[in-house]
Amino acid sequence: MDTRIGDAYPTRLPAGEAGAIDRLDPTVWGGEADGPIDAATLASHDAKGYSMVEGLLSPAEVQAYWQELVRLSGDEALKADERVVTEKASGEVRSIFEVHKISELIAELVRDPRVLDRARQILGSDVYVHQSRVNYMPGFRGNGFYWHSDFETWHAEDGMPVPRAVSCSIALTDNYPFNGGLMVMPGSQRTFVQCAGETPEDNYKSSLKEQKVGVPSEHEIAKLAAEHGIEQFTGHAGSALWFDSNIMHGSGNNITPYPRSNIFLVFNSVDNAVVDPFAAGKPRPEFIAARDFTPVRR
């Protein structure tokens, strides 16, 4: 049965019909009294679509999580798991999905008040984990991610109704301007960029290595960059970037000797639970897009 509600953000349209439309929903749903983020930071997050927390993790915690990432990437049995995505060319581990169900240490991080309370405040409700993963970008040969809006994919392929979701990227290595750090277009979350082309069956199997469908046109990317500019996430290991599900972002390749790895947690409002995909034949697997909407509790 088709459980889709009215589609406020149509995408994956025929060539020539895709453009850009105004976002209809807020970026910030809660207020200062709802969590640890002060009013000024909330206002900045609302305007720019992202905010940073320096030193969210202590150096000792960073070391513990880094050792956990090394353990996971070296687990030979885990490499055969569908949740592990490898680099297209080298075969090295690129990402491990549903990592909060694989690692108890990362499960504790999801429940940590420093993380959970900020997610609840930004989204103004209880939250569940839509997606979790760890990303590895090794030195010399780490591949980046082309410009995209996460919400476009989550809407089209997962059935997320509106952009009432927020991502938290926690750096486990120092982020420099030159080692593939995440780039964002501040304020671009207020524009939904439609993409052209139908979603192929099982698109996730190739898109997690190299995304070809659900990519905005160069024309729309250039327009957003001209209007909003580009800023980059740099900072020490342990810092965290909170960013809106619809902000335009991407990263370049890492040809430096310095690796870049992070823990990536996506929180969705329990009031925004996914339905049937809006532009795909069937939902992506649960390890990519959860359909267990149980609120996260401390």
Side-chain angles (χ1 to χ4, degrees), residues 11 15-20 146-149 152 185 193-197 212-225 248:
T11 189
E17 294 185 17
Y146 191 70
W147 291 106
H148 65 285
S149 151
E152 193 280 338
M185 296 185 187
V193 178
Q194 300 166 315
C195 295
K212 294 182 178 179
V213 178
V215 175
S217 70
E218 292 182 0
H219 174 71
E220 294 297 342
I221 293 171
K223 280 174 59 179
L224 286 177
M248 193 62 64

Side-chain angles (χ1 to χ4, degrees), residues 15 39-40 55-56 63 69 81 84 89 106 112 123 131-133 137 151 175 179 182 195 215 220 254 258 267 277 288:
L56 181 78
Q63 184 61 28
L69 262 64
D81 195 301
V84 178
I106 295 177
D112 191 306
L123 299 181
Q131 183 187 105
S132 73
R133 67 178 188 261
M137 182 178 279
F151 173 66
N175 282 260
N179 70 334
L182 191 72
C195 295
V215 175
E220 294 297 342
N254 181 15
Y258 308 111
F267 295 96
I288 301 174

Side-chain angles (χ1 to χ4, degrees), residues 131-182:
Q131 183 187 105
S132 73
R133 67 178 188 261
V134 290
N135 293 324
Y136 300 82
M137 182 178 279
F140 298 112
R141 55 191 174 273
N143 290 327
F145 294 86
Y146 191 70
W147 291 106
H148 65 285
S149 151
D150 290 328
F151 173 66
E152 193 280 338
T153 295
W154 299 341
H155 183 69
E157 299 185 36
D158 301 338
M160 184 178 288
V162 301
R164 192 174 180 180
V166 67
S167 299
C168 177
S169 176
I170 302 173
L172 297 184
T173 51
D174 290 341
N175 282 260
Y176 303 105
F178 44 74
N179 70 334
L182 191 72

Side-chain angles (χ1 to χ4, degrees), residues 26-43 45-46 51 53 112-127 164-166 242 267-269 298:
T27 301
V28 173
W29 296 71
E32 184 177 26
D34 298 321
I37 308 173
D38 61 68
T41 303
L42 277 179
H45 186 98
D46 182 63
S51 52
V53 180
D112 191 306
R114 293 172 295 179
V115 173
L116 180 57
D117 290 356
R118 284 181 168 88
R120 287 173 171 168
Q121 185 178 12
I122 291 169
L123 299 181
S125 69
D126 280 334
V127 298
R164 192 174 180 180
V166 67
W242 290 87
F267 295 96
N268 190 27
S269 168
R298 292 183 190 174

Side-chain angles (χ1 to χ4, degrees), residues 13 17 31 65 79-80 87 109 115 128 143 165 168 180 246 266 269 285:
L13 302 173
E17 294 185 17
Y65 284 109
K79 287 181 181 177
E87 292 282 5
L109 182 63
V115 173
Y128 71 93
N143 290 327
C168 177
N246 190 51
V266 180
S269 168

Side-chain angles (χ1 to χ4, degrees), residues 56-57 61 65 100 103-116 168 170 172 263-265 267 296:
L56 181 78
L57 300 182
E61 288 174 316
Y65 284 109
H100 71 295
S103 165
E104 179 54 38
L105 192 62
I106 295 177
E108 292 174 7
L109 182 63
V110 168
R111 301 188 294 265
D112 191 306
R114 293 172 295 179
V115 173
L116 180 57
C168 177
I170 302 173
L172 297 184
I263 300 172
F264 186 80
L265 306 173
F267 295 96
V296 180

